[in-house]
Amino acid sequence: QVQLAESGGGLVQTGGSLRLSCTASGRTFSRSAMGWFRQAPGQDRDFVAGISYNGGSALYADSVKGRFTISRDNAKNTVYLQMNSLKPEDTAVYVCAARPIVPSMTKQEYNYWGRGTQVTVSS
């Protein structure tokens, strides 16, 4: 069993930055790929970024490429999402998820989910 807890959300102005963290419990973190998804009110949960178990590869949604960076620290059981140049359309609840080894853009392929952290970008 893996439990995930996100933190770092908040209110920021357009063009600002935030860094989200997701800390995992359990001994399988170092063998887990991690993903960040986001869900705005009334919308589906969309893929944002993913990173492989060892940090060797990453995936990004086109909408965040060049602005967001995913990274991980296996010694701390933590994955990060650095978000720069934030836009109002980035406003959503951001949720981290885990699956074995390699990341996926498909939410159905993730086994464990956190509860999310709210990010609000004001115009």
Short mmCIF file of all heavy atoms in Angstrom, two decimals, residues 4-76:
data_model
loop_
_atom_site.label_atom_id
_atom_site.label_comp_id
_atom_site.label_asym_id
_atom_site.label_seq_id
_atom_site.Cartn_x
_atom_site.Cartn_y
_atom_site.Cartn_z
N LEU A 4 -0.06 8.79 -0.53
CA LEU A 4 0.54 9.98 -1.13
C LEU A 4 -0.07 11.23 -0.54
O LEU A 4 -1.30 11.30 -0.37
CB LEU A 4 0.31 9.97 -2.65
CG LEU A 4 0.80 8.73 -3.40
CD1 LEU A 4 0.37 8.78 -4.86
CD2 LEU A 4 2.31 8.61 -3.30
N ALA A 5 0.75 12.21 -0.24
CA ALA A 5 0.27 13.46 0.35
C ALA A 5 0.91 14.64 -0.37
O ALA A 5 2.14 14.78 -0.36
CB ALA A 5 0.59 13.50 1.84
N GLU A 6 0.07 15.47 -0.97
CA GLU A 6 0.53 16.65 -1.69
C GLU A 6 0.57 17.87 -0.78
O GLU A 6 -0.21 17.97 0.18
CB GLU A 6 -0.38 16.96 -2.88
CG GLU A 6 -0.53 15.84 -3.89
CD GLU A 6 -1.72 14.94 -3.58
OE1 GLU A 6 -2.19 14.91 -2.43
OE2 GLU A 6 -2.17 14.24 -4.51
N SER A 7 1.44 18.81 -1.14
CA SER A 7 1.50 20.08 -0.44
C SER A 7 2.08 21.12 -1.40
O SER A 7 2.60 20.77 -2.46
CB SER A 7 2.37 19.99 0.82
OG SER A 7 3.69 19.63 0.49
N GLY A 8 1.96 22.38 -1.00
CA GLY A 8 2.59 23.45 -1.77
C GLY A 8 1.66 24.28 -2.62
O GLY A 8 2.08 25.24 -3.25
N GLY A 9 0.38 23.91 -2.66
CA GLY A 9 -0.55 24.70 -3.44
C GLY A 9 -0.82 26.04 -2.80
O GLY A 9 -0.38 26.32 -1.68
N GLY A 10 -1.53 26.89 -3.53
CA GLY A 10 -1.87 28.20 -3.00
C GLY A 10 -2.38 29.12 -4.07
O GLY A 10 -2.71 28.69 -5.18
N LEU A 11 -2.43 30.40 -3.71
CA LEU A 11 -2.90 31.45 -4.62
C LEU A 11 -1.69 32.22 -5.13
O LEU A 11 -0.85 32.67 -4.33
CB LEU A 11 -3.86 32.37 -3.89
CG LEU A 11 -4.33 33.61 -4.63
CD1 LEU A 11 -5.15 33.22 -5.85
CD2 LEU A 11 -5.14 34.51 -3.70
N VAL A 12 -1.60 32.39 -6.43
CA VAL A 12 -0.48 33.10 -7.03
C VAL A 12 -0.99 33.93 -8.20
O VAL A 12 -2.01 33.60 -8.82
CB VAL A 12 0.61 32.10 -7.49
CG1 VAL A 12 0.10 31.20 -8.60
CG2 VAL A 12 1.89 32.81 -7.90
N GLN A 13 -0.29 35.02 -8.50
CA GLN A 13 -0.69 35.86 -9.62
C GLN A 13 -0.17 35.28 -10.94
O GLN A 13 0.80 34.50 -10.96
CB GLN A 13 -0.15 37.27 -9.43
CG GLN A 13 -0.80 38.03 -8.28
CD GLN A 13 -0.33 39.46 -8.19
OE1 GLN A 13 0.77 39.80 -8.62
NE2 GLN A 13 -1.16 40.32 -7.62
N THR A 14 -0.79 35.70 -12.02
CA THR A 14 -0.33 35.31 -13.35
C THR A 14 1.15 35.63 -13.51
O THR A 14 1.59 36.73 -13.14
CB THR A 14 -1.14 36.03 -14.43
OG1 THR A 14 -2.52 35.61 -14.34
CG2 THR A 14 -0.62 35.72 -15.81
N GLY A 15 1.89 34.66 -14.03
CA GLY A 15 3.33 34.83 -14.19
C GLY A 15 4.16 34.36 -13.02
O GLY A 15 5.39 34.30 -13.12
N GLY A 16 3.50 34.03 -11.93
CA GLY A 16 4.20 33.60 -10.73
C GLY A 16 4.59 32.13 -10.78
O GLY A 16 4.38 31.43 -11.77
N SER A 17 5.16 31.67 -9.67
CA SER A 17 5.66 30.30 -9.57
C SER A 17 5.19 29.64 -8.28
O SER A 17 4.95 30.33 -7.27
CB SER A 17 7.20 30.29 -9.58
OG SER A 17 7.71 30.81 -10.79
N LEU A 18 5.08 28.34 -8.34
CA LEU A 18 4.81 27.52 -7.17
C LEU A 18 5.58 26.21 -7.33
O LEU A 18 5.82 25.76 -8.45
CB LEU A 18 3.32 27.19 -7.02
CG LEU A 18 2.37 28.24 -6.47
CD1 LEU A 18 0.93 27.73 -6.57
CD2 LEU A 18 2.72 28.61 -5.04
N ARG A 19 5.94 25.60 -6.20
CA ARG A 19 6.51 24.26 -6.24
C ARG A 19 5.64 23.33 -5.40
O ARG A 19 5.48 23.55 -4.19
CB ARG A 19 7.95 24.22 -5.72
CG ARG A 19 8.58 22.85 -5.96
CD ARG A 19 10.02 22.78 -5.55
NE ARG A 19 10.20 22.58 -4.11
CZ ARG A 19 11.27 22.02 -3.55
NH1 ARG A 19 12.27 21.62 -4.32
NH2 ARG A 19 11.35 21.90 -2.24
N LEU A 20 5.09 22.34 -6.04
CA LEU A 20 4.30 21.32 -5.36
C LEU A 20 5.19 20.16 -4.95
O LEU A 20 6.15 19.83 -5.65
CB LEU A 20 3.18 20.81 -6.26
CG LEU A 20 2.25 21.85 -6.87
CD1 LEU A 20 1.15 21.15 -7.69
CD2 LEU A 20 1.66 22.75 -5.83
N SER A 21 4.83 19.55 -3.83
CA SER A 21 5.53 18.36 -3.36
C SER A 21 4.52 17.24 -3.14
O SER A 21 3.36 17.50 -2.79
CB SER A 21 6.25 18.65 -2.04
OG SER A 21 7.22 19.66 -2.18
N CYS A 22 4.97 16.04 -3.33
CA CYS A 22 4.15 14.86 -3.05
C CYS A 22 5.06 13.86 -2.34
O CYS A 22 6.04 13.38 -2.94
CB CYS A 22 3.59 14.27 -4.33
SG CYS A 22 2.77 12.67 -4.12
N THR A 23 4.72 13.56 -1.10
CA THR A 23 5.52 12.64 -0.30
C THR A 23 4.79 11.32 -0.17
O THR A 23 3.59 11.30 0.11
CB THR A 23 5.81 13.24 1.07
OG1 THR A 23 6.52 14.47 0.91
CG2 THR A 23 6.67 12.29 1.91
N ALA A 24 5.53 10.24 -0.37
CA ALA A 24 4.94 8.91 -0.35
C ALA A 24 5.37 8.13 0.88
O ALA A 24 6.51 8.26 1.34
CB ALA A 24 5.36 8.14 -1.60
N SER A 25 4.45 7.33 1.38
CA SER A 25 4.80 6.38 2.44
C SER A 25 5.06 5.03 1.78
O SER A 25 4.70 4.80 0.63
CB SER A 25 3.65 6.26 3.43
OG SER A 25 2.52 5.69 2.80
N GLY A 26 5.69 4.12 2.50
CA GLY A 26 5.91 2.79 1.96
C GLY A 26 7.29 2.64 1.35
O GLY A 26 8.00 3.62 1.10
N ARG A 27 7.64 1.39 1.06
CA ARG A 27 8.99 1.08 0.59
C ARG A 27 9.08 0.96 -0.92
O ARG A 27 10.13 0.61 -1.43
CB ARG A 27 9.45 -0.22 1.25
CG ARG A 27 9.58 -0.13 2.76
CD ARG A 27 10.02 -1.45 3.34
NE ARG A 27 8.95 -2.44 3.23
CZ ARG A 27 9.09 -3.71 3.60
NH1 ARG A 27 10.24 -4.13 4.08
NH2 ARG A 27 8.09 -4.54 3.49
N THR A 28 8.01 1.22 -1.64
CA THR A 28 8.02 1.00 -3.09
C THR A 28 8.26 2.27 -3.89
O THR A 28 8.24 2.24 -5.11
CB THR A 28 6.70 0.37 -3.54
OG1 THR A 28 5.62 1.25 -3.24
CG2 THR A 28 6.48 -0.97 -2.84
N PHE A 29 8.48 3.40 -3.20
CA PHE A 29 8.60 4.66 -3.93
C PHE A 29 9.71 4.61 -4.96
O PHE A 29 9.55 5.08 -6.09
CB PHE A 29 8.83 5.82 -2.96
CG PHE A 29 8.95 7.16 -3.64
CD1 PHE A 29 7.80 7.84 -4.03
CD2 PHE A 29 10.19 7.74 -3.89
CE1 PHE A 29 7.89 9.07 -4.67
CE2 PHE A 29 10.29 8.97 -4.51
CZ PHE A 29 9.14 9.64 -4.90
N SER A 30 10.84 4.05 -4.59
CA SER A 30 11.99 4.05 -5.51
C SER A 30 11.77 3.16 -6.73
O SER A 30 12.56 3.22 -7.67
CB SER A 30 13.25 3.61 -4.76
OG SER A 30 13.09 2.29 -4.28
N ARG A 31 10.72 2.35 -6.71
CA ARG A 31 10.38 1.52 -7.88
C ARG A 31 9.12 2.03 -8.59
O ARG A 31 8.61 1.36 -9.50
CB ARG A 31 10.17 0.07 -7.46
CG ARG A 31 11.40 -0.55 -6.81
CD ARG A 31 11.23 -2.06 -6.65
NE ARG A 31 10.12 -2.42 -5.79
CZ ARG A 31 10.19 -2.50 -4.48
NH1 ARG A 31 11.32 -2.21 -3.85
NH2 ARG A 31 9.14 -2.86 -3.78
N SER A 32 8.65 3.19 -8.18
CA SER A 32 7.40 3.73 -8.72
C SER A 32 7.65 4.92 -9.62
O SER A 32 8.40 5.82 -9.26
CB SER A 32 6.47 4.16 -7.59
OG SER A 32 6.11 3.08 -6.76
N ALA A 33 6.99 4.91 -10.77
CA ALA A 33 6.88 6.12 -11.56
C ALA A 33 5.83 7.01 -10.91
O ALA A 33 4.86 6.51 -10.32
CB ALA A 33 6.47 5.80 -12.98
N MET A 34 6.02 8.30 -11.02
CA MET A 34 5.10 9.24 -10.39
C MET A 34 4.53 10.18 -11.44
O MET A 34 5.22 10.58 -12.39
CB MET A 34 5.83 10.05 -9.31
CG MET A 34 6.44 9.22 -8.21
SD MET A 34 5.22 8.29 -7.27
CE MET A 34 4.28 9.62 -6.53
N GLY A 35 3.28 10.52 -11.25
CA GLY A 35 2.63 11.44 -12.17
C GLY A 35 1.91 12.54 -11.43
O GLY A 35 1.50 12.36 -10.28
N TRP A 36 1.79 13.67 -12.09
CA TRP A 36 0.96 14.77 -11.61
C TRP A 36 -0.20 14.94 -12.60
O TRP A 36 0.01 14.97 -13.81
CB TRP A 36 1.74 16.07 -11.54
CG TRP A 36 2.66 16.18 -10.37
CD1 TRP A 36 4.01 15.96 -10.35
CD2 TRP A 36 2.32 16.56 -9.03
NE1 TRP A 36 4.53 16.17 -9.10
CE2 TRP A 36 3.50 16.55 -8.26
CE3 TRP A 36 1.12 16.91 -8.41
CZ2 TRP A 36 3.52 16.87 -6.90
CZ3 TRP A 36 1.14 17.23 -7.05
CH2 TRP A 36 2.33 17.21 -6.31
N PHE A 37 -1.38 15.04 -12.05
CA PHE A 37 -2.59 15.31 -12.81
C PHE A 37 -3.26 16.54 -12.22
O PHE A 37 -2.95 16.95 -11.11
CB PHE A 37 -3.55 14.12 -12.74
CG PHE A 37 -3.06 12.90 -13.48
CD1 PHE A 37 -2.06 12.10 -12.96
CD2 PHE A 37 -3.60 12.57 -14.72
CE1 PHE A 37 -1.60 10.98 -13.63
CE2 PHE A 37 -3.15 11.45 -15.41
CZ PHE A 37 -2.15 10.66 -14.87
N ARG A 38 -4.18 17.13 -12.97
CA ARG A 38 -4.94 18.25 -12.44
C ARG A 38 -6.37 18.17 -12.90
O ARG A 38 -6.68 17.63 -13.96
CB ARG A 38 -4.31 19.59 -12.86
CG ARG A 38 -4.35 19.89 -14.35
CD ARG A 38 -3.55 21.18 -14.62
NE ARG A 38 -3.57 21.53 -16.04
CZ ARG A 38 -2.86 22.53 -16.56
NH1 ARG A 38 -2.06 23.27 -15.77
NH2 ARG A 38 -2.92 22.79 -17.84
N GLN A 39 -7.23 18.73 -12.04
CA GLN A 39 -8.66 18.69 -12.33
C GLN A 39 -9.27 20.03 -11.95
O GLN A 39 -9.25 20.42 -10.78
CB GLN A 39 -9.33 17.55 -11.58
CG GLN A 39 -10.77 17.33 -11.94
CD GLN A 39 -11.31 16.00 -11.44
OE1 GLN A 39 -10.73 15.37 -10.56
NE2 GLN A 39 -12.41 15.55 -12.03
N ALA A 40 -9.82 20.69 -12.94
CA ALA A 40 -10.55 21.94 -12.71
C ALA A 40 -12.02 21.61 -12.48
O ALA A 40 -12.50 20.55 -12.90
CB ALA A 40 -10.38 22.86 -13.91
N PRO A 41 -12.77 22.50 -11.84
CA PRO A 41 -14.19 22.23 -11.56
C PRO A 41 -14.96 21.89 -12.83
O PRO A 41 -14.87 22.61 -13.83
CB PRO A 41 -14.67 23.54 -10.93
CG PRO A 41 -13.46 24.14 -10.33
CD PRO A 41 -12.33 23.78 -11.24
N GLY A 42 -15.69 20.80 -12.79
CA GLY A 42 -16.51 20.41 -13.92
C GLY A 42 -15.77 19.80 -15.08
O GLY A 42 -16.37 19.54 -16.13
N GLN A 43 -14.47 19.59 -14.90
CA GLN A 43 -13.67 19.05 -16.00
C GLN A 43 -13.05 17.70 -15.61
O GLN A 43 -13.04 17.32 -14.43
CB GLN A 43 -12.58 20.04 -16.40
CG GLN A 43 -13.14 21.35 -16.93
CD GLN A 43 -12.06 22.25 -17.50
OE1 GLN A 43 -10.97 21.80 -17.87
NE2 GLN A 43 -12.35 23.54 -17.59
N ASP A 44 -12.53 17.02 -16.60
CA ASP A 44 -11.91 15.73 -16.36
C ASP A 44 -10.54 15.92 -15.72
O ASP A 44 -9.98 17.02 -15.71
CB ASP A 44 -11.76 14.99 -17.69
CG ASP A 44 -11.68 13.50 -17.52
OD1 ASP A 44 -11.70 13.02 -16.36
OD2 ASP A 44 -11.58 12.79 -18.53
N ARG A 45 -10.02 14.84 -15.17
CA ARG A 45 -8.67 14.88 -14.59
C ARG A 45 -7.66 14.67 -15.71
O ARG A 45 -7.68 13.64 -16.39
CB ARG A 45 -8.53 13.79 -13.53
CG ARG A 45 -7.19 13.79 -12.82
CD ARG A 45 -7.20 12.85 -11.64
NE ARG A 45 -8.06 13.36 -10.56
CZ ARG A 45 -8.17 12.78 -9.37
NH1 ARG A 45 -7.49 11.67 -9.11
NH2 ARG A 45 -8.96 13.29 -8.46
N ASP A 46 -6.78 15.64 -15.90
CA ASP A 46 -5.85 15.63 -17.02
C ASP A 46 -4.41 15.42 -16.57
O ASP A 46 -4.00 15.93 -15.53
CB ASP A 46 -5.93 16.95 -17.79
CG ASP A 46 -7.27 17.15 -18.47
OD1 ASP A 46 -7.89 16.15 -18.86
OD2 ASP A 46 -7.69 18.32 -18.59
N PHE A 47 -3.66 14.74 -17.40
CA PHE A 47 -2.23 14.51 -17.15
C PHE A 47 -1.48 15.83 -17.26
O PHE A 47 -1.73 16.63 -18.15
CB PHE A 47 -1.70 13.51 -18.17
CG PHE A 47 -0.22 13.31 -18.11
CD1 PHE A 47 0.35 12.50 -17.16
CD2 PHE A 47 0.62 13.94 -19.03
CE1 PHE A 47 1.72 12.30 -17.10
CE2 PHE A 47 1.99 13.76 -18.99
CZ PHE A 47 2.54 12.94 -18.02
N VAL A 48 -0.52 16.01 -16.35
CA VAL A 48 0.34 17.19 -16.38
C VAL A 48 1.78 16.80 -16.66
O VAL A 48 2.42 17.29 -17.58
CB VAL A 48 0.26 17.97 -15.06
CG1 VAL A 48 1.24 19.14 -15.06
CG2 VAL A 48 -1.16 18.46 -14.79
N ALA A 49 2.32 15.89 -15.84
CA ALA A 49 3.72 15.49 -15.97
C ALA A 49 3.92 14.15 -15.29
O ALA A 49 3.18 13.79 -14.38
CB ALA A 49 4.64 16.54 -15.36
N GLY A 50 4.94 13.43 -15.74
CA GLY A 50 5.27 12.15 -15.12
C GLY A 50 6.77 11.92 -15.15
O GLY A 50 7.47 12.46 -16.02
N ILE A 51 7.26 11.12 -14.21
CA ILE A 51 8.69 10.85 -14.12
C ILE A 51 8.91 9.39 -13.80
O ILE A 51 8.15 8.79 -13.03
CB ILE A 51 9.34 11.78 -13.07
CG1 ILE A 51 10.87 11.70 -13.13
CG2 ILE A 51 8.82 11.48 -11.67
CD1 ILE A 51 11.55 12.82 -12.35
N SER A 52 9.94 8.82 -14.39
CA SER A 52 10.22 7.40 -14.19
C SER A 52 10.77 7.15 -12.79
O SER A 52 11.12 8.07 -12.05
CB SER A 52 11.22 6.92 -15.24
OG SER A 52 12.44 7.63 -15.11
N TYR A 53 10.89 5.88 -12.42
CA TYR A 53 11.25 5.50 -11.05
C TYR A 53 12.60 6.06 -10.62
O TYR A 53 12.80 6.36 -9.44
CB TYR A 53 11.26 3.97 -10.94
CG TYR A 53 12.45 3.32 -11.60
CD1 TYR A 53 13.51 2.82 -10.84
CD2 TYR A 53 12.53 3.20 -12.98
CE1 TYR A 53 14.61 2.23 -11.43
CE2 TYR A 53 13.64 2.62 -13.58
CZ TYR A 53 14.66 2.14 -12.81
OH TYR A 53 15.75 1.56 -13.40
N ASN A 54 13.52 6.23 -11.58
CA ASN A 54 14.86 6.71 -11.24
C ASN A 54 15.11 8.14 -11.71
O ASN A 54 16.24 8.63 -11.64
CB ASN A 54 15.91 5.79 -11.84
CG ASN A 54 15.85 5.75 -13.36
OD1 ASN A 54 14.97 6.35 -13.97
ND2 ASN A 54 16.78 5.04 -13.97
N GLY A 55 14.07 8.78 -12.19
CA GLY A 55 14.22 10.16 -12.66
C GLY A 55 14.87 10.28 -14.03
O GLY A 55 15.14 11.39 -14.48
N GLY A 56 15.08 9.16 -14.69
CA GLY A 56 15.79 9.18 -15.96
C GLY A 56 14.99 9.67 -17.14
O GLY A 56 15.57 10.07 -18.16
N SER A 57 13.68 9.65 -17.03
CA SER A 57 12.85 10.13 -18.12
C SER A 57 11.62 10.83 -17.56
O SER A 57 11.17 10.52 -16.45
CB SER A 57 12.42 9.00 -19.05
OG SER A 57 11.65 8.07 -18.35
N ALA A 58 11.10 11.76 -18.34
CA ALA A 58 9.94 12.52 -17.92
C ALA A 58 9.02 12.76 -19.11
O ALA A 58 9.47 12.80 -20.26
CB ALA A 58 10.36 13.84 -17.30
N LEU A 59 7.75 12.92 -18.81
CA LEU A 59 6.73 13.25 -19.81
C LEU A 59 6.03 14.52 -19.38
O LEU A 59 5.85 14.75 -18.17
CB LEU A 59 5.69 12.12 -19.92
CG LEU A 59 6.14 10.73 -20.33
CD1 LEU A 59 4.97 9.76 -20.19
CD2 LEU A 59 6.65 10.76 -21.76
N TYR A 60 5.60 15.31 -20.35
CA TYR A 60 4.85 16.53 -20.05
C TYR A 60 3.69 16.68 -21.01
O TYR A 60 3.79 16.34 -22.19
CB TYR A 60 5.75 17.76 -20.18
CG TYR A 60 6.87 17.82 -19.18
CD1 TYR A 60 8.13 17.35 -19.47
CD2 TYR A 60 6.64 18.36 -17.90
CE1 TYR A 60 9.15 17.39 -18.54
CE2 TYR A 60 7.67 18.42 -16.96
CZ TYR A 60 8.92 17.92 -17.29
OH TYR A 60 9.93 17.97 -16.36
N ALA A 61 2.60 17.22 -20.49
CA ALA A 61 1.52 17.65 -21.37
C ALA A 61 1.99 18.85 -22.18
O ALA A 61 2.78 19.66 -21.70
CB ALA A 61 0.29 18.02 -20.53
N ASP A 62 1.50 18.96 -23.40
CA ASP A 62 1.91 20.06 -24.26
C ASP A 62 1.63 21.42 -23.62
O ASP A 62 2.39 22.38 -23.81
CB ASP A 62 1.20 19.97 -25.61
CG ASP A 62 1.71 18.84 -26.47
OD1 ASP A 62 2.81 18.32 -26.19
OD2 ASP A 62 1.01 18.47 -27.43
N SER A 63 0.57 21.49 -22.86
CA SER A 63 0.15 22.77 -22.27
C SER A 63 1.12 23.29 -21.21
O SER A 63 1.07 24.48 -20.85
CB SER A 63 -1.24 22.64 -21.66
OG SER A 63 -1.25 21.64 -20.66
N VAL A 64 2.00 22.42 -20.69
CA VAL A 64 2.90 22.86 -19.62
C VAL A 64 4.38 22.75 -20.01
O VAL A 64 5.26 23.16 -19.24
CB VAL A 64 2.66 22.07 -18.31
CG1 VAL A 64 1.19 22.15 -17.91
CG2 VAL A 64 3.12 20.63 -18.43
N LYS A 65 4.66 22.23 -21.19
CA LYS A 65 6.06 22.08 -21.62
C LYS A 65 6.76 23.43 -21.62
O LYS A 65 6.23 24.43 -22.11
CB LYS A 65 6.12 21.47 -23.01
CG LYS A 65 5.96 19.96 -23.03
CD LYS A 65 6.07 19.41 -24.46
CE LYS A 65 5.86 17.91 -24.48
NZ LYS A 65 5.87 17.38 -25.87
N GLY A 66 7.97 23.44 -21.06
CA GLY A 66 8.73 24.67 -20.99
C GLY A 66 8.41 25.54 -19.80
O GLY A 66 9.13 26.51 -19.52
N ARG A 67 7.33 25.23 -19.09
CA ARG A 67 6.95 26.01 -17.91
C ARG A 67 7.03 25.19 -16.63
O ARG A 67 7.37 25.72 -15.57
CB ARG A 67 5.52 26.54 -18.06
CG ARG A 67 5.32 27.45 -19.26
CD ARG A 67 3.94 28.11 -19.22
NE ARG A 67 2.85 27.15 -19.28
CZ ARG A 67 1.88 27.07 -18.37
NH1 ARG A 67 1.86 27.88 -17.34
NH2 ARG A 67 0.91 26.16 -18.50
N PHE A 68 6.70 23.92 -16.71
CA PHE A 68 6.68 23.04 -15.53
C PHE A 68 7.84 22.05 -15.61
O PHE A 68 8.22 21.60 -16.70
CB PHE A 68 5.38 22.24 -15.45
CG PHE A 68 4.15 23.04 -15.14
CD1 PHE A 68 4.14 24.43 -15.14
CD2 PHE A 68 2.96 22.39 -14.84
CE1 PHE A 68 3.00 25.17 -14.86
CE2 PHE A 68 1.81 23.10 -14.55
CZ PHE A 68 1.84 24.49 -14.56
N THR A 69 8.38 21.69 -14.45
CA THR A 69 9.44 20.69 -14.38
C THR A 69 9.14 19.71 -13.25
O THR A 69 8.90 20.13 -12.10
CB THR A 69 10.81 21.34 -14.12
OG1 THR A 69 11.09 22.28 -15.15
CG2 THR A 69 11.91 20.29 -14.11
N ILE A 70 9.15 18.44 -13.57
CA ILE A 70 8.96 17.40 -12.57
C ILE A 70 10.32 16.83 -12.17
O ILE A 70 11.20 16.67 -13.01
CB ILE A 70 8.02 16.28 -13.09
CG1 ILE A 70 7.63 15.33 -11.96
CG2 ILE A 70 8.60 15.56 -14.28
CD1 ILE A 70 6.51 14.37 -12.34
N SER A 71 10.48 16.55 -10.89
CA SER A 71 11.72 15.96 -10.39
C SER A 71 11.38 15.11 -9.18
O SER A 71 10.26 15.14 -8.67
CB SER A 71 12.73 17.06 -10.02
OG SER A 71 12.22 17.89 -8.98
N ARG A 72 12.36 14.34 -8.71
CA ARG A 72 12.12 13.48 -7.57
C ARG A 72 13.39 13.33 -6.74
O ARG A 72 14.50 13.45 -7.26
CB ARG A 72 11.60 12.12 -8.01
CG ARG A 72 12.57 11.27 -8.80
CD ARG A 72 11.88 10.04 -9.37
NE ARG A 72 11.41 9.15 -8.29
CZ ARG A 72 10.41 8.27 -8.44
NH1 ARG A 72 9.79 8.16 -9.60
NH2 ARG A 72 10.06 7.49 -7.43
N ASP A 73 13.19 13.03 -5.47
CA ASP A 73 14.27 12.74 -4.55
C ASP A 73 13.91 11.42 -3.86
O ASP A 73 13.08 11.41 -2.93
CB ASP A 73 14.43 13.87 -3.53
CG ASP A 73 15.62 13.68 -2.62
OD1 ASP A 73 16.10 12.54 -2.49
OD2 ASP A 73 16.07 14.67 -2.03
N ASN A 74 14.49 10.33 -4.31
CA ASN A 74 14.11 9.03 -3.76
C ASN A 74 14.54 8.87 -2.30
O ASN A 74 13.94 8.08 -1.57
CB ASN A 74 14.68 7.91 -4.63
CG ASN A 74 13.89 7.72 -5.91
OD1 ASN A 74 12.86 8.37 -6.13
ND2 ASN A 74 14.38 6.86 -6.79
N ALA A 75 15.57 9.59 -1.90
CA ALA A 75 15.99 9.51 -0.50
C ALA A 75 14.95 10.13 0.43
O ALA A 75 14.88 9.78 1.61
CB ALA A 75 17.33 10.22 -0.32
N LYS A 76 14.13 11.03 -0.12
CA LYS A 76 13.09 11.70 0.67
C LYS A 76 11.70 11.20 0.33
O LYS A 76 10.71 11.73 0.83
CB LYS A 76 13.15 13.21 0.47
CG LYS A 76 14.44 13.85 0.97
CD LYS A 76 14.41 15.36 0.78
CE LYS A 76 15.68 15.99 1.32
NZ LYS A 76 15.69 17.47 1.12
#
